[in-house]
Amino acid sequence: MTMDSMLISEIKELVSTSKFMDHITDDYLLGLKEDELLIRRDNEKLIGILITKKSNEYKKSWINKFTLPDNSYVVCQLVVDPNYQMKGIGKSLIQEFIKNNSTNYLTLSVSVENTGAIQFYEKTGWTQLGIFDYKTETKYNIDLKLLIYQLKI
């Protein structure tokens, strides 16, 4: 899939509903490898994205606090349009990723405040590995607790 200005705009519009997505810039999206992005559409409307990276290529601070298995991936973003949530979109994106990639584990972080996502991960078989205090000095001055989850495939 080619990352063009239209797709960048669509992704940024979709993630704009999320409080902690200030790092989703044009440069970030343009830097994604083709196999790091899955999208889901309803007709022409972008309704979901899944962005992944190999765990050894992921550069967030929490990743170093946990021992991740070789050949594992990190879910960087899983975003579904609020009007399409609870309809299997997130689950289908994860299943497609698993089908197309040779891995035994997926790992992710989620804010303790994001109760809907936490319920989704727990319902779909993810196991909590721990908690991480995450602080940044961005335009949002983020200071929150992240739950770290892992899915054994």
Side-chain angles (χ1 to χ4, degrees), residues 12 15 96:
K12 288 174 76 174
V15 301
E96 181 179 341

Side-chain angles (χ1 to χ4, degrees), residues 103-143:
T103 184
N104 294 322
Y105 292 92
L106 289 173
T107 307
L108 59 81
S109 66
V110 61
S111 167
V112 296
E113 299 170 10
N114 194 344
T115 56
I118 292 167
Q119 289 173 352
F120 168 76
Y121 297 129
E122 291 179 351
K123 180 180 171 187
T124 55
W126 295 74
T127 303
Q128 185 179 326
L129 295 181
I131 299 175
F132 182 74
D133 289 318
Y134 183 69
K135 297 177 193 244
T136 65
E137 294 184 15
T138 64
K139 63 182 176 181
Y140 297 112
N141 290 319
I142 297 171
D143 183 1

Side-chain angles (χ1 to χ4, degrees), residues 6-151:
M6 179 63 125
L7 182 55
I8 289 173
S9 295
E10 289 178 293
I11 291 172
K12 288 174 76 174
E13 182 179 339
L14 177 65
V15 301
S16 70
T17 60
S18 178
K19 181 176 173 182
F20 305 112
M21 295 288 178
D22 63 320
H23 62 283
I24 305 292
T25 63
D26 291 11
D27 288 340
Y28 173 82
L29 294 171
L30 288 168
L32 292 175
K33 298 174 189 165
E34 188 172 328
D35 63 347
E36 294 176 335
L37 173 67
L38 289 176
I39 65 170
R40 190 65 78 240
R41 293 186 180 278
D42 181 16
N43 294 316
E44 296 298 314
K45 179 180 173 56
L46 182 66
I47 60 171
I49 62 165
L50 174 66
I51 298 175
T52 59
K53 291 207 175 278
K54 289 185 177 180
S55 58
N56 63 349
E57 297 175 3
Y58 191 67
K59 305 298 182 207
K60 295 289 183 177
S61 56
W62 66 262
I63 199 89
N64 298 319
K65 306 294 182 193
F66 299 89
T67 302
L68 301 181
D70 292 338
N71 194 34
S72 65
Y73 285 78
V74 174
V75 173
C76 304
Q77 281 83 34
L78 174 59
V79 182
V80 176
D81 182 306
N83 295 319
Y84 289 83
Q85 292 177 359
M86 306 291 291
K87 297 181 180 184
I89 306 300
K91 186 175 182 179
S92 73
L93 284 164
I94 291 169
Q95 288 172 334
E96 181 179 341
F97 175 83
I98 291 168
K99 177 182 167 192
N100 294 330
N101 291 276
S102 176
T103 184
N104 294 322
Y105 292 92
L106 289 173
T107 307
L108 59 81
S109 66
V110 61
S111 167
V112 296
E113 299 170 10
N114 194 344
T115 56
I118 292 167
Q119 289 173 352
F120 168 76
Y121 297 129
E122 291 179 351
K123 180 180 171 187
T124 55
W126 295 74
T127 303
Q128 185 179 326
L129 295 181
I131 299 175
F132 182 74
D133 289 318
Y134 183 69
K135 297 177 193 244
T136 65
E137 294 184 15
T138 64
K139 63 182 176 181
Y140 297 112
N141 290 319
I142 297 171
D143 183 1
L144 55 91
K145 289 194 179 306
L146 295 175
L147 297 176
I148 310 303
Y149 280 87
Q150 191 168 73
L151 179 66

